[in-house]
Amino acid sequence: MLEVAIIGAGSAGLVAARHCLANGLRCSIFDAASTLGGAWSSSCSSSTATAPAAKMWDGLHTNLSKHTCRFSDFPWSSSEIYPSSTPTFPSHIDMDRYLQSYAEEHRIGDYFHSNCQVTKITPLDDDDIRDAGTIGWNGYRVEWTDTSSQTQHVKEFSGVVVATGFFARPKYPPGFSPTIHDDGGGGGSSSKRCHVLHSENYKSHTDFANETVAVIGSSFSALEIAVDVSQSAKRVVSILPQIPWVLPRYVPTKDGAILPIDLAFYRRTTPAFANPEMTSLTPELCRARHERLKQQLGSRQQEILGLPKDFDKPPMVTVSDYYLDLVQDGTVEVLHGRAQGIDDKGLRVSTAVSVDDEGGKSGHADMILPNISKVICCTGFLPDLQSCLDQSILDILEYNPEDMFSPVTACWQTLHPNLNNMAFCGMYRGSYMGVVEQQARLAAMVLSGKLALSEAQYQKELDICRQIRNNKPRPQFPRFDYIGFMDSLAMAISSASEDSNNKLPRWNTAAGDFITPAFYQPDEEIARASIAEVSQELEKGKNGSRIPFIVMSALIGSWNFDRNIVHFSSNHREHVHGVIRFSRPKLDHVLYREDGLYEISEHKSLSVFREYEYACQGDTLEIYFVEGGKRTHLFLSLKFQEETTEGYWVATSDHLCIKDLYKANFKIKLEGAKAVEIVISYRVKGPAKDYEAMTVMMPHIAPRY
């Protein structure tokens, strides 16, 4: 039986081990960390020179749902830890436990060598074989250091799977490094020390209490860390090198549903295998993608953050539930530009500005941010294959250690015809669990000899990979066509296999079907279960269950309101008008503050002020009384129904206040993720009360001077 060395014990290494074992190969899994799980591991909380820490911070949740963040044959419900109630967007602790359960299910821990830093992988071929251009015929020599005992080891293996992932070397912007600078007061005794760190070293907002923090980057981690650190920091400045589209985890779709972002986007536009994988974007395709994102968000992003500058270039998409809320509130300040470095005056940022001259030109200006005490660089990672792979291997891969997009040339980002018995899993930016599993399946079948790919297949895929690496401008992710890439891998796996279990996918292959990893495995029961789970999500998206989540953010901002009150016993009418301000002082609730003028009669009026707290509780929007600046008791518990033909989402609730019954009706109209109208009415009946109050709220437009 052939033995394969698997380098890395994160999600890619675990799934590679599972499929190598399933294909009759023996495995030895090496990782510098002490535990399985890689970047998701919650056990390694701090780094040492030899044992890297987990890359995730406290409070992090995935930006894709559990339907995508899974392996095909291991539903979340398979884990004893999560029998049925997995959060739709798992936390990093959930992900770690899922991977631990997966490893236990397949007994992967039996093959795991912890605290083992692989230092060299060398082909065993003679020089004349190497000169012929193809290496690996005789296997590979793997050298490693056991950091727990500080001993050196060497062993020969028939094959190698490199699954070290993409979180290898932190990348800093030019002019920055992980150091402490004297900064802020112009020198002297008023200077402050500015600490620069990378996002991989960010763990908790509590470490930044009362700090003034600059967060550099436009990525998912940059926006989510800006949100997280704002819970403790005195001031947060988000420095955006480019404007991304900022989507919440649940997004409205054109058919009226509110769905997890991956289910909204990962639907087949054509039947499976009808078209080849898309690997480049024309300006026309870029514009179409930008317009779709603009439609989904409505005008909300444009009003708060602005839009990307050039719709002819590929869009950048990030996911954050609260970033736009906090920017609108002023809790997170935004600076559009590039951080240049730190000097004795402060943090230097080059910002794009409009020059108001006759030529209508644009230019740049340098800004200084003084008194920044912490800078968090959320600027990605670089590969580190040069730390262990022999130069002959790197040359064949056309390896570029500074390429954080796609650093190697490999077929399906997995194999190379001139590297026998070697494969890669997850070695490109943005690799999803479903893709990594397909890569592992392909690698295991080739390494075990169960699948032989043709020279033509290899050459075609090498050409595709080179074209992807040379794309200008580059899209956000090299294999951005997730469904197309999954199908490309499935075609490769099934191309020369006689086993019907490898002819995948067999489910959800029609245009319009949702795609999850569960459809790329042969067990019908698992596939049907996934179809049922997705159907449940669709039902929740249409019946109003997800609306409270959208409403909470859509409310943020100022609203003009008009309230008409009719007393039925006397036919007396009253009018209240003014401004309502919704803000998010804490991430878990929204504060309603009303400042208005109560017109009791034609000649009599008085100022009014009231506050409520809005909070999501499952599929319910709860409204609480606020007295003295503190939440008191529950006022209304609103459950939304299906969207009306007029475009309103409607919720109703009753509240008995001593002897008075309040029957509430809450209506909100959305355009994408933006609320454009809110109507709240109360019918109140009691021993001394019999009136109806209707409040109409429209977005407040501040005057321009």
Side-chain angles (χ1 to χ4, degrees), residues 28 46 109 161 209 219 240 265 279 303 360 418 430 432 558 572 618 644 690:
S28 290
S46 60
V161 177
S219 64
L240 297 181
F265 281 88
T279 55
E303 294 168 1
N418 295 337
Y432 294 166
S558 296
H572 178 62
T644 67
D690 187 11

Side-chain angles (χ1 to χ4, degrees), residues 48-96:
T48 66
T50 55
K55 311 295 183 183
M56 311 306 173
W57 62 90
D58 297 346
L60 178 144
H61 284 255
T62 60
N63 56 6
L64 299 171
S65 77
K66 63 182 180 182
H67 306 293
T68 299
C69 294
R70 58 166 288 182
F71 294 128
S72 67
D73 58 356
F74 196 71
W76 281 85
S77 57
S78 296
S79 168
E80 293 181 2
I81 301 171
Y82 299 108
S84 60
S85 57
T86 310
T88 302
F89 291 90
S91 71
H92 76 97
I93 294 175
D94 296 329
M95 289 299 303
D96 180 32

Side-chain angles (χ1 to χ4, degrees), residues 304-324:
I304 298 171
L305 191 65
L307 300 180
K309 300 299 184 186
D310 191 348
F311 276 28
D312 285 346
K313 293 181 179 179
M316 179 179 185
V317 177
T318 59
V319 178
S320 179
D321 295 327
Y322 306 120
Y323 182 79
L324 291 180

